[in-house]
Amino acid sequence: MSNNKPLIVLANSGLIDPNSLEQAIGVGAYSAMAKIVEEAIAPSDVIGIVKASGLRGRGGAGFPTGLKWSFTAKDEQVYIICNADEGEPGTFKDRLILEGDPHRLIEGMMIAGYAVNATKGYVYVRGEYTLSIERMQTAINAAREVGLLGENIFESDFSFDIEIKKGAGAYVCGEETSLIESIEGKRGYPRLKPPYPGAVGLWSKPTVVNNVETLANVPPIIVNGPEWFRSYGTEKCPGTKVFTILGHVEKPGLVEAEMGTSLQTIIDVHGGGVKDGKAFKGALVGGSAGAFVCPDCLDKPMDFDGLQELSAVLGSGAVLVFNEDASIVEMLDGILAFFKHESCGQCAPCRGGTQALKTIMERIRDGHGVAGDLDKMVEVATSMQATSLCPLGQSVILPITSALQHFRPEFEALIS
Ligand SMILES: Cc1cc2nc3c(=O)[nH]c(=O)nc-3n(C[C@H](O)[C@H](O)[C@H](O)COP(=O)(O)O)c2cc1C
């Protein structure tokens, strides 16, 4: 962290042997759950602590975590799902947590389970993450062996266990309802919402779906309290964010920085500056469904609200940096190819819209664009936003409109 505050989410990653339960316990693993049991903190009070911390989901949308838990319907069977699908291009932050500190994630899921009365959790991990799956399974086995997972945890009435489910590589399966369909053994098609998973989720039971990074924040919040968590970040977005810094920077990689850190600090301090001393042209923030930003945005805070003011999104926290030589036309073409490939095909607006957008974009890219093409792209993406069944089709508009807002002349130069 640039101001030398201790890290939260990545505090132990790289410092402990992820295959050692002893080392994890040595740095505080399971002390949050122990505290809950010893101090007899009621499930509703756990939700109250998480609400008071202001923790917001790190899977993209920034929905308040405590609120999500409080909305979860009461039932004798409730499920927790940890979303570790991480299909967003240029994002590998969850992987570092899974591979570097798996017991933190187990404990985060366990506390979420205690809060909403769930006894079973699933970790849905993308199949390509073989090392993540291996380390999570080793950690689950070790926790089970000593009774940290299973019946009557810390001799309480609370029982909880975790199973790993592997994804098969579809981007849409990161969307919570497609993910649920996939765990149920069906084709990973999104469901219409409402009902939301908190009411009707896995096997039609109330289900909490949270991102890996979200759950990794929970144990330290319980141990240190909501005020401590609020001492990081901004008032509306407390805590930290794990950013993936990619593209034309000297030091690509991952960094945990406070919410609200400026884009300039992310690039210059954490990313080592634009590569080879070239000028900064712009960045794609938030992954493929994110927004292009330009040099005017460098001083803006990187958090859910700060980026919303720029009509951008924080998304997964991926920051893809472009130097002066980069082609935004090529970039947008790549993004639209991705969406065309990943559209699940269930609903017509997304299936046909992603095809149409790619066709127009390719024409422009190859220098054969015709008058009206740019407006046509916005028109197609706008109707996709209004009529697609899930946020995949609804979100294609953002990279298109932001690219045109900041870099329109580059596209116009290719249109006769
Ligand atoms: C196309 C698509 C892909 C998504 N991929 C992921 C993903 O890989 N990981 C994730 O946590 N959330 C992903 N989401 C968001 C999830 O639907 C859901 O909002 C999130 O897991 C909730 O967790 P949170 O409240 O902790 O952020 C995706 C959403 C969409 C529309």
Side-chain angles (χ1 to χ4, degrees):
M1 206 116 37
S2 54
N3 53 12
N4 292 327
K5 275 187 181 171
L7 301 180
I8 300 179
V9 172
L10 302 180
N12 306 326
S13 296
L15 296 179
I16 55 167
D17 174 0
N19 290 322
S20 165
L21 174 61
E22 291 70 27
Q23 286 192 25
I25 289 175
V27 292
Y30 302 104
S31 59
M33 192 63 221
K35 178 178 168 169
I36 289 170
V37 173
E38 267 165 39
E39 297 179 15
I41 305 176
S44 57
D45 291 334
V46 170
I47 294 179
I49 294 168
V50 175
K51 264 188 185 169
S53 75
L55 174 66
R56 294 169 65 170
R58 303 312 200 228
F63 192 82
T65 306
L67 202 59
K68 182 183 274 189
W69 294 3
S70 70
F71 285 163
T72 305
K74 307 262 175 296
D75 199 298
E76 57 203 33
Q77 182 64 68
V78 178
Y79 294 105
I80 299 292
I81 297 175
C82 169
N83 188 344
D85 195 50
E86 196 153 68
E88 193 61 61
T91 307
F92 46 94
K93 66 182 182 73
D94 294 341
R95 178 177 180 178
L96 201 79
I97 300 166
L98 290 156
E99 293 177 8
D101 199 1
H103 288 285
R104 167 190 292 264
L105 195 54
I106 294 175
E107 191 180 16
M109 290 180 72
M110 186 188 285
I111 294 168
Y114 176 81
V116 301
N117 196 27
T119 53
K120 179 81 194 259
Y122 290 91
V123 189
Y124 188 88
V125 194
R126 59 179 297 161
E128 297 94 324
Y129 278 10
T130 46
L131 185 62
S132 305
I133 293 167
E134 199 182 297
R135 290 200 176 154
M136 267 314 287
Q137 193 59 62
T138 303
I140 290 168
N141 294 347
R144 248 188 225 142
E145 215 163 280
V146 298
L148 283 164
L149 276 177
E151 300 290 314
N152 306 107
I153 292 164
F154 289 121
E155 294 172 14
S156 69
D157 292 338
F158 175 59
S159 302
F160 189 75
D161 210 342
I162 296 176
E163 195 178 319
I164 295 177
K165 290 279 180 184
K166 282 193 236 174
Y171 174 57
V172 79
C173 282
E175 192 281 328
E176 56 191 9
T177 60
S178 322
L179 186 158
I180 287 170
E181 290 279 302
S182 170
I183 294 182
E184 288 182 359
K186 299 183 213 145
R187 188 173 183 146
Y189 275 161
R191 295 178 182 172
L192 261 183
K193 291 192 273 191
Y196 291 91
V200 182
L202 185 61
W203 318 116
S204 300
K205 293 292 177 187
T207 302
V208 168
V209 183
N210 272 135
N211 171 254
V212 170
E213 187 184 347
T214 312
L215 291 162
N217 273 291
V218 171
I221 289 174
I222 300 294
V223 170
N224 302 306
E227 285 315 312
W228 163 83
F229 190 69
R230 284 188 167 280
S231 71
Y232 288 80
T234 65
E235 197 194 330
K236 288 189 178 162
C237 295
T240 60
K241 180 79 197 78
V242 184
F243 292 97
T244 324
I245 315 173
L246 304 145
H248 298 142
V249 285
E250 290 291 347
K251 289 190 297 175
L254 279 173
V255 65
E256 181 175 1
E258 287 196 74
M259 279 283 192
T261 302
S262 72
L263 181 57
Q264 180 108 51
T265 303
I266 303 263
I267 295 171
D268 287 348
V269 177
H270 301 294
V274 179
K275 205 167 166 47
D276 301 328
K278 297 227 171 188
F280 171 72
K281 176 173 185 174
L284 177 71
V285 174
S288 55
F292 288 93
V293 296
C294 65
D296 291 349
C297 307
L298 277 169
D299 61 341
K300 298 291 186 291
M302 297 279 285
D303 60 52
F304 294 113
D305 302 312
L307 284 164
Q308 214 168 19
E309 275 173 31
L310 298 172
S311 304
V313 289
L314 184 60
S316 61
V319 179
L320 178 57
V321 177
F322 308 117
N323 70 19
E324 54 196 305
D325 302 331
S327 161
I328 303 299
V329 172
E330 297 271 344
M331 262 314 295
L332 189 61
D333 182 55
I335 289 172
L336 295 180
F338 173 77
F339 275 115
K340 181 182 158 199
H341 184 260
E342 293 298 338
S343 173
C344 76
Q346 183 183 198
C347 76
C350 183
R351 186 176 63 237
T354 50
Q355 296 260 8
L357 287 171
K358 179 67 177 121
T359 304
I360 302 171
M361 188 64 231
E362 233 167 67
R363 185 157 76 213
I364 299 172
R365 183 202 65 193
D366 295 343
H368 310 306
V370 293
D373 268 356
L374 298 179
D375 293 342
K376 190 82 201 159
M377 282 175 70
V378 174
E379 198 184 306
V380 171
T382 305
S383 74
M384 286 172 69
Q385 185 182 30
T387 55
S388 294
L389 192 146
C390 91
L392 191 150
Q394 291 159 9
S395 59
V396 181
I397 187 144
L398 196 52
I400 295 174
T401 50
S402 58
L404 295 181
Q405 182 189 347
H406 301 298
F407 305 101
R408 195 176 180 101
E410 210 174 298
F411 291 82
E412 284 174 342
L414 294 164
I415 294 175
S416 46

